Amino acid sequence: MNTTVLEALRSHAHTQPDATALRGLSESGEASVVSYASLLQQVDALATWLQQQQLPLLGLWGDNQIEWVIADLAAWQAGIPLIPLPRFFSHAQLAFVVESSGLRHLLTCGAISDGLPTHGRVLSPVPAIHLDQVSSEARSEPTIAPDTRKITFTSGTTGQPKGVCLSGATLDAVTVALAERIHESEAGDNALNSHFCLLPLSTLLENVAGIYVPILLGKSAIVLPGPAIGLLGSSQLDLPLLLKTLHQHQPNSLILLPQILAGLVAAANHGMPPPSSLSFVAVGGATTPPALLNQAHRLGIPVFEGYGLSECASVVSLNSPRANRVGSVGRVLSHLRVRVVDGVIQVAGNAFSGYLGQPVSDSQSNWIDTGDIGHIDEQGYLHITGRQKNLLISSFGRNISPEWLESELSMCPAIAQVMVIGDAKPFCAALLVPRTSSSEIDALASQIAGVNATLPDYARIRRFIVASEPFSLANGSLTDNGRLRREVIASRHAEAITALYSPTFPLADLSADPTSSQSLEAGALHAIF
C-alpha cells in the first residue's frame, strides 16, 4: 500500500541502506541496531505474511521495542486496520477494547498481558513477533470506515475509551506537517538526527512524531522498553535512570508530559541536567505552567509546548525554535485550519473517519468541536485556557477555568498535584497532593495564599483538602496523557467535599495560630485567609 511514510522508508532503504533507522534492545537485552535496508526487508516480509492470513483487523501489544515498530509498519503496508493496545490500560479497559472492536487476532511483541485471553500462538516471519488469537465476545461486528488504517483508543477523562478511526492519508498529512514544523530551523549542530521515544508507542503522539517523522526524514529513533529507561508501571518514574539513559544515547529530540518535564527541571536545578545533545523537547498532553517552561529555558532545556487531539491524528499546533511564545501552544500546523466560536476551538482539514462502532463520518470537510476553550492572538499563536465541560460557574455567576488555577497552584513548591472545584459554589476550593509526606499545613496554606494574591477575588482558593492518595493512572485518577479524571477524583472525596462547603465548616479551629505546625491528614479540611 502506497503512503508517504512507507514510500519514504522504501526510498531511504535504497539511497542510504546502511543508515540507522532504529536503535533498541534485542531479546537477550543487548544493544540492537536496525538499518533502513533491514527495516524494509522485515516490514515487507511481515506484511506479505499478514496479507496471506486474510485478517480483517489486528491488535498490537508490546512495550517500546524495535519489533513494535516493524509490526506497526507491516500492518499499515498490508492494509489491515491496526489497534495499538496501551499497556497502561486496566484489564477492564483492555476487555472493553477487545469486545467493542470484535478483535480476534493480536500481533504480540514479548510477553502477553494476563488481561488479554489468547490462544493459538503462531510465530511470524520476524523473530519475537507472534500472532495470537484473542477470545472475544463481541456484541456485534462494529462499523469501521473502509479507509481506516489505525484505530487509536484513548482512556479519556470519563467513561469507556473511544476508538478513533484514522486513514492512511490522515496519518501521512500530520506526519508531513509535523516534520516541517519540527525541522524548520534544523541546521548544523541543531540537526535532529535521533529521536528518543519516551512515551509509549501505543500513544498516537509518540507513534507519529517519534516514529513516522524520523522515517519520513531518514533519521533514527531510539526505542527502549519502559524498565530500561526508568518508566516503571503506569505512573512511576526513576528519574536518575532516565537521565543516565538519555546521556548514554545522546538524542536530539524528545516528547514529554508536563510531570516528566517538572522532574527534569528539578533534577537540573540540583546539578543533573539532561544531555546537551537535545535540541527539541516537545511537551503536551496537559496544561504546562508557563513558569515551568521559563525555568526549563533558563536551565538550557529547549522545550516547546504543543497541542493536539486524536480526532485530528494528533498534533494541531506546536511552538518551535523559530516561533515560540510561552503560554501558547504554538502556531497551527500547515495542513489544518482553526477557528474559535463562542470561545471554543474548532479544527478542520485533517479529521478522523469516525468512531469505532458509530456511523462513518464525512468529517474531512466539517469543523471538529474540540471542547477546548481558548483564543488565537494577533500573531497567530493558539492559546488553550481550559475545557468547556470543566468550566466552573460560581454561585455568583463567575466563569472560572479550573485548569488556569491548577496551572498557577502547581508551581507551589509544596504542591505535587491539584484539582480545583467550585461549580455552583460560592468560592473555589482545591483537592491537593503535597510534594512530600512531611509537608505542613501552614506551608501549604501560605503558598496558596501567595497565589491568591495574584488572582481576582472570585477565583481565589478559600479552602482545601489533602487527597487520600496521589492522582495516577494506576488508581484511575489520570488519563494516559496526564489529565485529571475529575469525576473519579471528586467521587472518591465526595464526603470531604460536602463537608468543605458545609455551613458548619470549623473555621475557628483552623484560623487559630497561623505559625503553628499542623498535621497533614488526608481528607482533613483546611481554610486559607
Side-chain angles (χ1 to χ4, degrees):
M1 177 161 294
N2 292 329
T3 77
T4 303
V5 172
L6 293 174
E7 286 176 355
L9 168 60
R10 198 165 298 278
S11 174
H12 297 315
H14 287 91
T15 59
Q16 51 172 8
D18 297 326
T20 297
L22 301 172
R23 283 190 280 162
L25 298 177
S26 66
E27 283 190 277
S28 61
E30 298 179 353
S32 178
V33 177
V34 176
S35 68
Y36 267 96
S38 176
L39 177 58
L40 177 62
Q41 184 273 324
Q42 294 181 77
V43 169
D44 278 345
L46 184 57
T48 300
W49 184 79
L50 288 173
Q51 286 176 323
Q52 294 170 351
Q53 309 309 307
Q54 297 183 333
L55 305 172
L57 182 67
L58 269 172
L60 176 55
W61 175 265
D63 206 338
N64 283 15
Q65 58 196 102
I66 290 170
E67 290 78 14
W68 197 101
V69 179
I70 294 170
D72 176 52
L73 294 171
W76 193 357
Q77 181 164 307
I80 303 173
L82 184 73
I83 302 178
L85 295 169
R87 290 171 61 87
F88 48 77
F89 269 18
S90 67
H91 289 179
Q93 287 175 318
L94 289 174
F96 175 83
V97 171
V98 169
E99 293 171 12
S100 63
S101 65
L103 189 64
R104 295 288 189 272
H105 297 89
L106 187 70
L107 283 175
T108 306
C109 310
I112 192 67
S113 166
D114 57 4
L116 293 166
T118 62
H119 60 280
R121 166 164 287 200
V122 177
L123 179 63
S124 81
V126 177
I129 298 179
H130 298 84
L131 181 65
D132 292 304
Q133 294 185 45
V134 183
S135 301
S136 173
E137 298 180 0
R139 294 184 292 273
S140 61
E141 290 297 324
T143 301
I144 302 177
D147 62 351
T148 299
R149 291 297 168 261
K150 180 157 292 179
I151 303 173
T152 182
F153 276 85
T154 56
S155 59
T157 53
T158 60
Q160 294 288 8
K162 278 186 175 181
V164 178
C165 298
L166 301 169
S167 68
T170 301
L171 293 169
D172 274 337
V174 70
T175 301
V176 171
L178 192 53
E180 291 173 352
R181 179 61 50 85
I182 293 175
H183 294 269
E184 64 184 1
S185 59
E186 180 180 22
D189 293 338
N190 293 322
L192 303 179
N193 292 317
S194 67
H195 175 83
F196 189 97
C197 295
L198 175 58
L199 303 183
L201 290 174
S202 56
T203 302
L204 185 62
L205 172 60
E206 191 69 80
N207 191 182
V208 171
I211 299 298
Y212 297 163
V213 170
I215 287 176
L216 179 69
L217 298 171
K219 311 292 186 177
S220 66
I222 302 160
V223 286
L224 299 168
I229 62 176
L231 293 181
L232 310 173
S234 61
S235 56
Q236 298 179 41
L237 174 64
D238 183 339
L239 191 57
L241 178 55
L242 173 59
L243 285 167
K244 178 182 177 181
T245 309
L246 290 175
H247 280 278
Q248 176 186 348
H249 289 276
Q250 295 288 306
N252 305 127
S253 61
L254 189 66
I255 302 171
L256 302 174
L257 297 177
Q259 289 172 299
I260 301 177
L261 175 62
L264 291 182
V265 167
N269 274 322
H270 287 83
M272 297 181 293
S276 59
S277 61
L278 287 172
S279 298
F280 196 104
V281 178
V283 62
T287 302
T288 306
L292 179 61
L293 294 167
N294 287 326
Q295 284 184 39
H297 285 294
R298 286 194 295 270
L299 292 165
I301 302 174
V303 61
F304 303 95
E305 188 174 10
Y307 163 76
L309 61 155
S310 298
E311 288 81 357
C312 289
S314 190
V315 183
V316 169
S317 64
L318 181 64
N319 281 291
S320 72
R322 289 181 58 185
N324 184 38
R325 173 166 286 189
V326 173
S328 79
V329 291
R331 289 173 172 161
V332 177
L333 298 187
S334 61
H335 67 310
L336 294 171
R337 305 188 307 280
V338 170
R339 69 185 184 187
V340 180
V341 178
D342 295 329
V344 179
I345 296 166
Q346 297 182 351
V347 185
N350 198 49
F352 69 131
S353 302
Y355 294 111
L356 181 68
Q358 297 184 10
V360 175
S361 170
D362 181 23
S363 53
Q364 285 297 333
S365 59
N366 296 334
W367 288 90
I368 297 175
D369 191 325
T370 68
D372 291 310
I373 302 170
H375 67 276
I376 301 173
D377 67 24
E378 67 282 355
Q379 293 187 344
Y381 290 90
L382 181 63
H383 297 254
I384 308 295
T385 55
R387 288 285 293 165
Q388 185 180 30
K389 67 180 181 181
N390 296 336
L391 193 68
L392 306 177
I393 303 178
S394 76
S395 57
F396 291 100
R398 295 289 188 177
N399 292 345
I400 304 165
S401 168
E403 292 91 347
W404 162 44
L405 303 182
E406 289 156 2
S407 176
E408 297 294 326
L409 292 167
S410 66
M411 295 310 297
C412 293
I415 297 176
Q417 296 171 299
V418 59
M419 185 180 90
V420 171
I421 56 177
D423 189 47
K425 303 297 182 183
F427 57 83
C428 290
L431 285 79
L432 59 86
V433 176
R435 183 130 345 240
T436 67
S437 58
S438 59
S439 299
E440 296 179 346
I441 292 303
D442 55 303
L444 289 166
S446 175
Q447 290 175 24
I448 295 174
V451 172
N452 280 343
T454 69
L455 300 174
D457 59 356
Y458 65 84
R460 291 172 184 165
I461 306 300
R462 304 294 182 181
R463 301 172 186 173
F464 66 90
I465 303 167
V466 176
S468 56
E469 59 182 336
F471 309 144
S472 70
L473 275 170
N475 60 26
S477 299
L478 294 180
T479 68
D480 53 290
N481 59 10
R483 290 178 179 171
L484 298 171
R485 288 180 176 273
R486 297 178 185 275
E487 291 185 3
V488 172
I489 296 169
S491 176
R492 288 178 181 163
H493 299 85
E495 185 176 344
I497 291 173
T498 299
L500 187 151
Y501 285 103
S502 168
T504 59
F505 183 81
L507 294 178
D509 294 340
L510 293 170
S511 61
D513 183 358
T515 62
S516 65
S517 175
Q518 301 181 57
S519 63
L520 192 62
E521 180 182 351
L525 312 176
H526 308 283
I528 303 161
F529 302 97

